[in-house]
Amino acid sequence: MSTHPPKSAPTTSAHYALVPARTLTLETVAGRTGLHPELVRRFVALGLVDARRDAAGRLVFPLTAPATLARVERLRTGLCLNYASIGLVLDLLDRIARLEAALRRTGARSDQPPWT
């Protein structure tokens, strides 16, 4: 007779959204940013802003899309960067933000001001 408790199958947890995630339509994003919808589509194709297709095949955007597009436009007009360069700069800025957040979580302090 074994004194060990019976082995149970590993449990997995399922997460169900109680409320569907809010998204923005292409028209809403274009209206909030003042950009032509075709330019927004081009930014999606270049990977500068996240979007997905809904069940009907329409582009839908996260709530952060207008802020991301405003950042793209500031980089384009302020620094005269092409869109390929903007993608690289956005990736680097996001990486810096993640590294700074990790430093804050560990309690590390720096004498230098944050980059972002």
Side-chain angles (χ1 to χ4, degrees):
M1 183 176 235
S2 174
T3 59
H4 299 291
K7 291 184 180 180
S8 61
T11 59
T12 58
S13 62
H15 299 280
Y16 299 98
L18 297 176
V19 177
R22 291 206 40 216
T23 57
L24 301 172
T25 65
L26 174 63
E27 294 75 22
T28 302
V29 170
R32 288 185 183 180
T33 59
L35 299 174
H36 193 277
E38 206 48 49
L39 183 57
V40 175
R41 281 191 187 98
R42 182 174 301 153
F43 288 159
V44 170
L46 291 171
L48 297 177
V49 65
D50 293 328
R52 63 177 178 79
R53 300 243 176 224
D54 65 5
R58 295 178 301 247
L59 283 174
V60 290
F61 297 84
L63 297 178
T64 58
T68 301
L69 289 169
R71 197 177 200 191
V72 168
E73 283 300 294
R74 281 193 312 273
L75 289 169
R76 188 182 67 78
T77 58
L79 298 177
C80 299
L81 297 175
N82 63 27
Y83 293 128
S85 299
I86 290 172
L88 177 62
V89 169
L90 289 175
D91 288 345
L92 291 172
L93 289 173
D94 289 343
R95 175 77 174 141
I96 289 168
R98 286 192 304 273
L99 289 171
E100 288 176 344
L103 282 174
R104 281 191 295 277
R105 280 192 305 274
T106 62
R109 301 209 31 107
S110 173
D111 295 332
Q112 302 296 321
W115 286 80
T116 55

